[in-house]
Amino acid sequence: MTKHFLGVADEGDDQGWHYLLGILAVLVYWLGFAGLIFLGLEAIFAQIFGPTEIGNFIASSATFLPVIVILFGVVTKLQHRSFQTLINADAAVNVPRVLLGFMVWFIQLVIFSGSDIWLNPQNYSFSFNLVHWFLLGPLAVILIPIQTSAEEFFFRGYLMQGLAMLTKHRLVLTLLTSIAFAVPHFGNPEMQRGVVWGALTYFVWGVFFATITLKDNGLELALGCHAANNLFATLVVNTPDSVIPTTALWTYLEAIDSRAGFVGLIIEATIFYCIFFGGIQRRGNPLE
């Protein structure tokens, strides 16, 4: 019988202080060392290649790898369970499910963004650079999933499963992990589009990822969807104020209206949810 994603918290040596130690270790790294690593790598790349967009992208993305290393160490060495239980309670990761989540979200972005480019071409600049893009492309395919997976492993995996030791109420877990996910993003340049709508947008992202994780009884869809979103922003359509400042195929000439971005997210998230949980695609959840 398939185990429940939140039930992992009751297995192994998952004592409360173990979770607290893991959370503190990640926070200490993120708040105290990630910035230093970024500056160090950025300086190294600048010395070798000069100040480049790709060097900054590599430096920024690389700062997420230690988060995965920390979580791997805590989960496997301290809590004595498989690292894969952060993704699926059965420790049997459904890779096709990750790819399916990726494809569905990516196709949505292609349809919505492509339609807007066709209807409002004056808002976009075709910024494709052959050499730049084919150098950036392979790096993005490798580094973006590291960045997005680190966030999913921590917020929807480790943190949610840890909080489940206190309560398994889904609404409470969704709200707490979504707030925790939103707060670190408040320093992103996109917040300049509008503080309130920007904060709500990041919070809704957290709610969406938490909801599909709990509904699907695993992290696979969130992993695929998150990676697809960031990869699309890196390679296909980017904005001048993006937290991922890369030269994509198209550049939106102005900052996206924060309210429009919020509404667009709600629409796309609803479509995604209906596709997977409206009777078309669904994986059984034993505790529903």
Side-chain angles (χ1 to χ4, degrees):
M1 183 178 180
T2 301
K3 298 179 182 178
H4 193 264
F5 185 70
L6 299 179
V8 174
D10 301 320
E11 299 178 2
D13 297 329
D14 295 334
Q15 301 179 34
W17 73 271
H18 289 164
Y19 269 102
L20 182 60
L21 182 61
I23 292 169
L24 288 176
V26 171
L27 291 178
V28 167
Y29 165 72
W30 249 332
L31 297 175
F33 296 97
L36 295 176
I37 291 176
F38 169 73
L39 292 174
L41 291 175
E42 185 181 41
I44 292 172
F45 284 119
Q47 285 291 328
I48 299 174
F49 305 109
T52 64
E53 176 185 292
I54 292 180
N56 290 341
F57 171 73
I58 298 173
S60 176
S61 301
T63 61
F64 287 88
L65 183 58
V67 174
I68 299 177
V69 174
I70 291 170
L71 291 176
F72 181 85
V74 172
V75 170
T76 61
K77 303 303 180 183
L78 186 61
Q79 298 177 339
H80 301 105
R81 62 183 171 96
S82 170
F83 181 74
Q84 291 179 316
T85 56
L86 289 183
I87 303 172
N88 187 291
D90 292 325
V93 179
N94 189 339
V95 176
R97 195 73 170 166
V98 177
L99 297 176
L100 187 59
F102 180 98
M103 258 191 341
V104 169
W105 192 262
F106 199 89
I107 289 171
Q108 276 201 90
L109 292 177
V110 169
I111 293 172
F112 280 95
S113 297
S115 299
D116 194 47
I117 292 172
W118 182 59
L119 293 171
N120 302 289
Q122 71 279 2
N123 294 336
Y124 296 85
S125 170
F126 185 66
S127 49
F128 176 65
N129 180 298
L130 181 64
V131 176
H132 176 91
W133 199 85
F134 278 99
L135 179 60
L136 176 65
L139 291 171
V141 169
I142 295 171
L143 295 174
I144 288 294
I146 290 175
Q147 178 251 313
T148 55
S149 296
E151 292 188 342
E152 291 306 317
F153 290 156
F154 180 67
F155 291 108
R156 260 68 63 178
Y158 192 78
L159 184 59
M160 183 176 284
Q161 289 176 347
L163 290 172
M165 297 183 69
L166 303 176
T167 177
K168 288 185 172 58
H169 193 288
R170 294 185 175 200
L171 178 59
V172 173
L173 292 173
T174 297
L175 292 176
L176 290 177
T177 56
S178 299
I179 292 171
F181 175 73
V183 170
H185 292 84
F186 288 171
N188 287 0
E190 292 95 337
M191 290 294 290
Q192 298 176 13
R193 302 171 186 173
V195 174
V196 174
W197 289 105
L200 284 173
T201 298
Y202 282 119
F203 175 72
V204 168
W205 270 117
V207 170
F208 172 55
F209 288 141
T211 299
I212 61 177
T213 295
L214 292 174
K215 194 71 175 176
D216 205 47
N217 197 36
L219 202 59
E220 289 96 340
L221 288 181
L223 285 169
C225 181
H226 199 163
N229 188 77
N230 287 24
L231 195 63
F232 185 88
T234 302
L235 296 178
V236 185
V237 179
N238 211 332
T239 59
D241 63 346
S242 173
V243 70
I244 310 173
T246 58
T247 303
L249 292 179
W250 282 274
T251 300
Y252 195 84
L253 297 178
E254 298 178 359
I256 295 175
D257 180 85
S258 58
R259 289 170 294 184
F262 177 79
V263 172
L265 172 60
I266 295 293
I267 294 172
E268 291 166 3
T270 301
I271 293 172
F272 186 93
Y273 184 91
C274 290
I275 289 174
F276 283 95
F277 308 111
I280 300 174
Q281 282 283 339
R282 188 171 186 175
R283 180 169 62 188
N285 189 329
L287 295 189
E288 286 190 334

